[in-house]
Every structure is written in C-alpha cells, then in structure tokens.
Amino acid sequence: MTTNRVVVYKGPGETAVESIDYPKLELPSDVVSGLGLKKKAPHAVILKIVTTNICGSDQHMVRGRTTAPIGQTLGHEITGEVVEVGDDVLFLREGDICSVPFNIACGRCRMCNERKTGICLNVNPARPGAAYGYVDMGGWIGGQAEYVMVPFADFNLLKFPDRDQALEKILDLTMLSDIFPTGFHGAYTAGVTTGSTAYIAGAGPVGLAAAFSAQILGASTVIVGDMNADRLRQAESFGCETVDLSSGNDLGEMIAQILGEPLVDAAVDAVGFEARGHGAGAAEAPATVLNDIMTVARAGAGLGIPGLYVTGDPGAVDDAAKAGRIGVDLGTGWAKSHSFTTGQCPVKKYNRQLMNLILADKANIAKAVNAKTISLDEAPESYKAFDKGAATKYVIDPHGMVG
C-alpha cells in the first residue's frame, strides 16, 4: 500500500517528518461529529503533492505561540496532481495539476455563496473557516506531505490549463495557494491603485508578496519596513523603497525622506501578533504594527491586515495578549476614518486572475519572494533557518517533480 509522510509539530522549535496513513476520501472526525456531516467524501480527491510551502503562519505554531498540540500536522500551501477522484467529482481527472486554496470551503453555505470562502460555515465546528494542517481549523491533515485529501474538490481546486506549462512555472504557481493572493488581498483591501503610495509592514514572504502586488495594482511608490537587512534587500531587488525599523528612527520621518511627507495612501500589516517595537533588540509589543499603519496612513486611507492575530497565545507578553487583546490605538483610526480589512484571505476571489498573470509572464512572484526548493526531509532544518530570518520562501518538493 502507498505510504504517506508529513511534517509534524513536536514542541516549541521542533518539527519532524513522520509516517501517517495514506489519505482516504473521508472527512475528519472533528468535522463529522461537530457538524453532523457524512464521513464518506465522494466529492473529494487525493492529490500527490507537487509543491508545498513553509509559511510564516506555520512558524507561529512551531514557535509554540499558539495552542497547537504536539503531533499537529503542518502545511496549508499546497499544489498537487490528482491521483484519485471521488464518484461525485465531475470536472477533475487523474493527472490534472491544481492549486489548492488554503481556505477549505464547502461551496454551498451562505459565506461561500458570498465569495467569503475564508469563513465557510460547514468545514469547522469550532468557528467559521478552516485550513489544512492548522490549529483550531477543523482537524484537517496538513499538506507538507506526500499526499493529501481535498474535499469539495470541484469547488476548491484551481486546475491549471496545461500540465507542461504548469510544471515549467511551478515555483510561481505554488504561491497561488496562499501568499500571492494573501499579499494581493492586503494591498487591494488597503486601496492601492494607480499612482498611490503604499507602506508594507514586514518583509517576510507575505509582506514581499503584498509589495509585489501593490506594484501590480499600480502604486507609484511601495515602501517596505522591517528590521531584517537581508529581507529589506530582497524587497529592494524588485524596486521597493525600504525603511530599517531597527534604526529606532521615527517611521513617519523615514517615510518623509522618501515621499516628501510622512503619510501614505494605503498601508498593510504583514507582520501580525508577534510584532516588536522599533529599534535594535526591541521587545515584543503586539500592537506596534497596527498602531504604525494607522499613524502613517493618511485620513480616509484603507488598512489591509493579512498579518495573523490569534485568540490564544500562550507565549504572549501579558495576560490580555494571551487572549488576543492588545493595545490598539483605535481612536487614531476612528479619527482618521480608516477602513480595516482583517481575516483570512478568500483565496478563490483572486487566484484565477493571478494565475493568468503568471501564465502570461507578467508576475514572477517566485523571484520576488526568493523561492528555494527543498526536499521533504529538509523541512525541519528549513523551519529553523526561516525562524532565524532567512530571506527565503521554502518550497518543499516531496516527489522531485520541480525542474
């Protein structure tokens, strides 16, 4: 029988690759019992993983900054080849190569019908919305693996039109499962448009994808802020301006040196709840980035917040933050009539159009985020390198299919 191997959380700072059962066309027990759904999933497919990426959101779990249990399988950025098709799957065939949105969605509930697939009502009994391999997200097996089951496949999967072309561009296309749509969502909901100026907080892969997306949307100047020199250089490599937050200098003043004024038209938080204060060696201060973007965004601006905020953080700086309550200066945002967009990116809202840009050679997102291919067995060491600030997007190639 075919085996399966998956990356597993083993405790703070530790992951391992372990063998698990080969997936079946069945829903997780948590979903079945919690929502009263049938166990059998003829609407599902089994994918042989072509590529699966390490995400900054995974790092929150691996650092021990969530309530993820030891043994939690990891991985929600998945691209794969269909190898088994359920009886009720109508439009997919074995051999199709598809992108898997990290949001698991039924395609039938009110939220899905409103294109809000990040908060589907029928895939997680604990709360709206689900994802593969993530804490409190429904018990779905992670995709940093050799094989994975995808439910409601006709609705969820984005099939690439040409297999050979897809494999040729796989390092760009693998970003469609999460960070490219997520970064685009951040920039788009912040209101980035032709000629606008934008500030992106964070030069990790999502921040870089947001900066790249802001350029696609027509921004005249994109400024990226971070404390990691290598990541700032990566942002500069595709035309962004940068500000070094480790300097301790005032953010508005640094922006003014670039734009001639301390304000931008749109701002994006691509950092989330593990934010730190400004200056070298600054302590953790989880509201820093949210307060920064309200400060530097002009009146009437939009704020895109794809950075992750959680309701359970055992490693937080105080008891309030452990429950997701942080010191946000909401009065500033209210006084400036800012609009805020938070939550999971609804990947399906954007992924087809972004795929078309990639296939037309108009979006080299892999180069922008510095994609690097690794084997499944190299994942644990790559998690550690990423945690130390590597300016790299690690792409796992479990079966050696990446050219």
Side-chain angles (χ1 to χ4, degrees), residues 5 13 119 172 190 198 252 272 284 387:
R5 299 167 73 229
I119 45 175
D172 293 306
E284 188 169 305
D387 190 46

Side-chain angles (χ1 to χ4, degrees), residues 158-177:
L158 175 65
K159 175 185 170 182
F160 300 136
D162 181 88
R163 178 186 174 88
D164 291 338
Q165 184 187 33
L167 290 174
E168 179 183 345
K169 296 181 178 294
I170 195 64
L171 285 183
D172 293 306
L173 294 171
T174 192
M175 306 304 167
L176 292 172
S177 58

Side-chain angles (χ1 to χ4, degrees), residues 35 103-112 116-124 127-130 152 155 344:
L35 292 170
N103 325 109
I104 302 172
C106 71
R108 307 173 188 190
C109 70
R110 174 180 175 176
M111 293 297 101
C112 287
K116 299 173 182 176
T117 52
I119 45 175
C120 174
L121 303 176
N122 291 328
V123 287
N124 182 0
R127 65 182 70 178
F152 310 107
F155 180 73
Q344 289 187 36

Side-chain angles (χ1 to χ4, degrees), residues 125-149:
R127 65 182 70 178
Y132 303 89
Y134 212 85
V135 60
D136 296 331
M137 284 291 173
W140 301 86
I141 297 297
Q144 287 170 13
E146 294 173 318
Y147 298 89
V148 74
M149 185 275 290

Side-chain angles (χ1 to χ4, degrees), residues 287-288 290-292 294-295 326-335 338 340:
T288 298
L290 291 172
N291 291 332
D292 279 351
M294 285 188 285
T295 299
I326 58 178
V328 177
D329 297 335
L330 187 59
T332 299
W334 189 93
H338 286 157
F340 299 72

Side-chain angles (χ1 to χ4, degrees), residues 4-370:
N4 192 21
R5 299 167 73 229
V6 65
V7 181
V8 174
Y9 170 62
K10 300 298 290 182
E14 297 297 328
T15 61
V17 180
E18 297 184 352
S19 294
I20 61 172
D21 291 339
Y22 184 80
K24 299 178 181 179
L25 299 177
E26 295 179 350
L27 300 183
S29 298
D30 290 355
V31 174
V32 171
S33 60
L35 292 170
L37 302 182
K38 295 178 180 179
K39 182 77 171 176
K40 291 185 179 296
H43 47 76
V45 301
I46 306 298
L47 295 184
K48 177 182 178 181
I49 303 297
V50 177
T51 52
T52 175
N53 317 324
I54 295 176
C55 179
S57 296
D58 299 320
Q59 283 288 13
H60 295 306
M61 286 189 290
V62 173
R63 291 190 191 112
R65 296 300 299 270
T66 72
T67 56
I70 292 175
Q72 169 75 55
T73 59
L74 301 175
H76 57 270
E77 299 190 5
I78 305 165
T79 306
E81 176 185 0
V82 177
V83 293
E84 185 176 344
V85 180
D87 289 343
D88 286 349
V89 176
L90 302 178
F91 305 112
L92 295 165
R93 301 288 182 270
E94 291 184 14
D96 289 344
I97 296 182
C98 306
S99 179
V100 185
F102 79 90
N103 325 109
I104 302 172
C106 71
R108 307 173 188 190
C109 70
R110 174 180 175 176
M111 293 297 101
C112 287
N113 282 322
E114 293 179 5
R115 301 183 73 195
K116 299 173 182 176
T117 52
I119 45 175
C120 174
L121 303 176
N122 291 328
V123 287
N124 182 0
R127 65 182 70 178
Y132 303 89
Y134 212 85
V135 60
D136 296 331
M137 284 291 173
W140 301 86
I141 297 297
Q144 287 170 13
E146 294 173 318
Y147 298 89
V148 74
M149 185 275 290
V150 175
F152 310 107
D154 279 327
F155 180 73
N156 281 309
L157 291 179
L158 175 65
K159 175 185 170 182
F160 300 136
D162 181 88
R163 178 186 174 88
D164 291 338
Q165 184 187 33
L167 290 174
E168 179 183 345
K169 296 181 178 294
I170 195 64
L171 285 183
D172 293 306
L173 294 171
T174 192
M175 306 304 167
L176 292 172
S177 58
D178 182 354
I179 68 163
F180 196 7
T182 293
F184 190 90
H185 179 64
Y188 178 80
T189 56
V192 177
T193 188
T194 306
S196 60
T197 58
Y199 173 65
I200 313 296
V206 170
L208 295 172
F212 184 78
S213 298
Q215 293 176 337
I216 290 173
L217 288 164
S220 59
T221 305
V222 180
I223 303 170
V224 179
D226 204 292
M227 299 184 186
N228 183 312
D230 290 339
R231 289 182 171 183
L232 290 174
R233 281 192 289 271
Q234 184 62 31
E236 291 166 355
S237 74
F238 59 94
C240 297
E241 300 286 345
T242 60
V243 291
D244 181 1
L245 301 175
S246 70
S247 68
N249 294 330
D250 180 79
L251 176 58
E253 291 178 2
M254 290 190 286
I255 288 175
Q257 290 176 3
I258 297 169
L259 298 177
E261 61 176 340
L263 299 172
V264 293
D265 299 321
V268 176
D269 171 3
V271 177
F273 72 101
E274 288 193 64
R276 295 184 175 274
H278 297 180
E284 188 169 305
T288 298
V289 173
L290 291 172
N291 291 332
D292 279 351
I293 61 175
M294 285 188 285
T295 299
V296 302
R298 70 176 66 256
L303 308 178
I305 309 173
L308 176 66
Y309 290 87
V310 296
T311 56
D313 174 9
V317 294
D318 56 46
D319 288 341
K322 287 179 181 179
R325 296 188 294 272
I326 58 178
V328 177
D329 297 335
L330 187 59
T332 299
W334 189 93
K336 296 172 79 172
S337 294
H338 286 157
S339 61
F340 299 72
T341 302
T342 66
Q344 289 187 36
C345 165
V347 170
K348 281 176 61 64
K349 186 174 181 178
Y350 308 105
N351 63 352
R352 186 175 300 277
Q353 289 77 11
L354 296 177
M355 175 190 74
N356 290 341
L357 285 176
I358 291 170
L359 297 180
D361 294 322
K362 294 182 179 179
N364 192 347
I365 183 66
K367 183 177 180 181
V369 301
N370 194 27

